[in-house]
Amino acid sequence: MLRTEERQRLARERREEREKQHAAKETQILEKERKAKLQYEKQLEERQRKLKEMKQKEEQRRAAVEEKRKQKIEEEKERYEAVLHRTLERSQRLETRQKRWSWGGSVTPDSEGKTASRRSPSTANLKQGEAAVSKRLSSSAALLNASDRTRRSQLSPLDSSVISRLLAPTQAFLARSKSAATLSAD
């Protein structure tokens, strides 16, 4: 009987030992699973943090690129406006110059009165000389035009306009004629 009890006790102890070992293994497995789960969650959080940082950097880069693009557009717009402004100024200067050197002198009626008050008697003679020169020029131009009309009727409109432009007196020619008339009047 003692042996049977002893065997049963030893068997119970072995069973308890196995159960303890089994429980310890299970605890280890559960601990490993818990650590793995924590590590996975940590990696997941790290990945999400990195993705968020990358997204922010990408948004900042896009914003910088967009800002640069807007700045470039603004600079091009300013450059275009400056070119346009310069072109307008040049054309206005050119118009003013052309008005100053037009056939009839100054275009504005008021400018004649202003310049007349500043003229000396010698400039008045110059004005008379100019009138004589322009009379001579207009009469010679009329003679030329009358003889050339028959020839021009046979030309194309483009050739006709080129020829009429070439036959018209130039500003330099008129200036020389005026100075010659002034010298001859003196």
Side-chain angles (χ1 to χ4, degrees):
M1 197 115 162
L2 200 56
R3 267 189 182 168
T4 332
E5 281 181 18
E6 187 71 28
R7 279 185 197 161
Q8 284 177 351
R9 189 180 59 82
L10 283 173
R12 214 178 310 133
E13 283 177 6
R14 277 185 290 218
R15 219 179 304 124
E16 286 173 1
E17 189 65 36
R18 267 185 270 145
E19 283 176 4
K20 278 182 185 176
Q21 285 176 354
H22 185 67
K25 279 184 183 178
E26 250 184 71
T27 308
Q28 281 178 348
I29 289 171
L30 286 173
E31 185 64 27
K32 280 183 182 177
E33 284 177 0
R34 188 182 67 81
K35 281 182 181 179
K37 190 177 180 183
L38 280 173
Q39 183 142 6
Y40 174 75
E41 287 174 357
K42 204 175 187 180
Q43 286 174 346
L44 197 64
E45 284 175 9
E46 186 70 21
R47 240 184 256 145
Q48 286 175 343
R49 187 182 61 78
K50 282 183 180 177
L51 281 172
K52 195 175 181 181
E53 283 178 5
M54 283 172 57
K55 203 174 186 180
Q56 284 177 340
K57 282 180 184 177
E58 183 65 25
E59 284 175 6
Q60 287 174 349
R61 189 188 66 77
R62 279 187 189 152
V65 165
E66 183 65 24
E67 185 63 32
K68 243 183 204 176
R69 189 182 66 80
K70 283 181 183 176
Q71 195 174 18
K72 199 172 186 179
I73 289 172
E74 191 64 32
E75 286 172 0
E76 286 177 2
K77 186 179 175 185
E78 287 174 4
R79 201 175 306 128
Y80 173 75
E81 286 174 357
V83 166
L84 191 64
H85 184 68
R86 281 196 303 268
T87 306
L88 285 173
E89 282 180 353
R90 280 187 199 136
S91 65
Q92 285 174 350
R93 271 187 267 149
L94 195 73
E95 280 180 26
T96 307
R97 216 176 280 146
Q98 285 174 344
K99 284 178 184 176
R100 212 179 314 150
W101 293 103
S102 68
W103 292 100
S106 180
V107 174
T108 57
D110 191 37
S111 64
E112 190 64 36
K114 289 179 184 174
T115 55
S117 63
R118 283 187 253 146
R119 286 190 187 133
S120 66
S122 63
T123 56
N125 292 339
L126 180 65
K127 188 72 176 170
Q128 290 170 355
E130 285 178 8
V133 168
S134 60
K135 254 186 205 178
R136 282 187 221 140
L137 284 174
S138 63
S139 64
S140 63
L143 286 173
L144 280 172
N145 284 341
S147 64
D148 286 340
R149 277 190 196 127
T150 54
R151 275 186 253 141
R152 277 195 221 153
S153 63
Q154 297 162 354
L155 298 173
S156 70
L158 179 64
D159 292 338
S160 177
S161 67
V162 169
I163 289 172
S164 64
R165 178 70 187 114
L166 289 171
L167 289 174
T170 62
Q171 292 175 358
F173 175 77
L174 289 174
R176 283 194 303 272
S177 300
K178 286 177 186 177
S179 63
T182 316
L183 288 173
S184 66
D186 288 343

